[in-house]
Amino acid sequence: MKCFSICLILMPNKIKIDIQKKIVFYRDGVSEGQFSLVLRHEINKMREACMKINPAYKPGITFVVVQKRHHTRFFPVNPKDEIGKSRNVPPGTVVDKDIVTKDMFDFFLCSHMGIQGTSRPCRYFLLHDDNQFTMNQLQILSHYLCHVYARCPRSVSYPASAYYSHLAAFRGRDYIRRALNVPNVGIASQKIEIHPNIKNRMFFV
């Protein structure tokens, strides 16, 4: 969570706004059996990071898990709704009843255009919400965030913030390997120095 606290400090200075009052956190790579463990650990660490900035800083945190490794697929009932050669459901299709859980806040969202084969919708679980989002508000926000990924001119399958976290993690892994002189990585071992002009920017994109 060190990176999280650094981002909280830098962001208001960069875009000249007050520190964030609400934080929406999208997390992937979590199975349903890990929900309670991840929620308890990561929410506490996020609050600790906020308190390091200011003991009185207590923003509302919304914690959402995104899953893509499942076997659920959607197909249009009406042929007029079919999109593309693969005849997928239209981007923005949401399913939040009948096939979702009864005791959790979850929904399916297919936010991207299926270019090849059947589109795989993402499943969203709201595990914690201090900001009191309604179902519709969270669905719209999640869909909009799928349209701001810098590497793609169209919507992607899940929110851009989750994609960026992967890119940052992969870049960080390479830096650590170089610093530790890990063998068989195909790169020379040397200390990485990031240019000051890009140090506090999303250069990993």
Side-chain angles (χ1 to χ4, degrees):
M1 287 296 152
K2 183 177 180 181
C3 293
F4 175 73
S5 59
I6 292 174
C7 289
L8 288 177
I9 295 172
L10 292 177
M11 188 59 68
N13 295 330
K14 289 177 66 61
I15 59 179
K16 298 180 180 180
I17 61 172
D18 294 333
I19 199 164
Q20 290 81 0
K21 297 179 180 179
K22 297 181 180 181
I23 297 174
V24 181
F25 185 71
Y26 286 89
R27 175 74 154 84
D28 70 339
V30 181
S31 65
E32 294 182 37
Q34 298 173 308
F35 281 176
S36 59
L37 176 63
V38 170
L39 177 63
R40 182 172 61 253
H41 175 75
E42 297 192 4
I43 285 290
N44 289 338
K45 290 298 182 181
M46 292 174 75
R47 295 209 178 281
E48 288 177 12
C50 293
M51 292 182 68
K52 287 182 180 179
I53 299 174
N54 186 337
Y57 178 45
K58 297 180 180 180
I61 297 176
T62 298
F63 191 101
V64 184
V65 168
V66 187
Q67 291 182 345
K68 200 173 180 182
R69 295 183 179 180
H70 56 76
H71 300 289
T72 304
R73 302 291 185 274
F74 298 144
F75 301 93
V77 175
N78 189 339
K80 294 182 180 179
D81 294 329
E82 296 174 349
I83 299 294
K85 295 180 180 180
S86 299
R87 300 178 179 178
N88 285 301
V89 294
T93 298
V94 173
V95 176
D96 56 12
K97 60 181 180 180
D98 296 333
I99 62 172
V100 296
T101 59
K102 294 182 179 180
D103 56 346
M104 298 186 71
F105 188 131
D106 65 309
F107 60 90
F108 290 90
L109 169 62
C110 186
S111 58
H112 63 294
M113 172 80 74
I115 299 175
Q116 183 176 4
T118 304
S119 297
R120 179 187 298 177
C122 282
R123 189 172 189 179
Y124 295 76
F125 288 88
L126 178 63
L127 301 188
H128 181 86
D129 185 24
D130 294 328
N131 300 310
Q132 299 182 345
F133 281 106
T134 65
M135 179 74 82
N136 285 343
Q137 288 174 332
L138 188 61
Q139 291 168 356
I140 292 172
L141 174 62
S142 300
H143 184 52
Y144 284 175
L145 289 175
C146 294
H147 289 73
V148 295
Y149 185 48
R151 286 189 173 187
C152 185
R154 61 174 69 196
S155 60
V156 291
S157 58
Y158 56 91
S161 55
Y163 274 105
Y164 292 148
S165 66
H166 282 288
L167 297 177
F170 292 152
R171 183 65 67 93
R173 179 187 61 186
D174 290 336
Y175 291 168
I176 292 173
R177 281 178 171 175
R178 292 191 182 198
L180 298 178
N181 195 19
V182 178
N184 299 324
V185 295
I187 54 178
S189 176
Q190 58 184 358
K191 185 178 180 180
I192 303 296
E193 293 290 346
I194 301 174
H195 195 281
N197 290 348
I198 63 172
K199 189 172 185 179
N200 295 325
R201 299 180 183 274
M202 296 170 56
F203 65 92
F204 51 83
V205 174

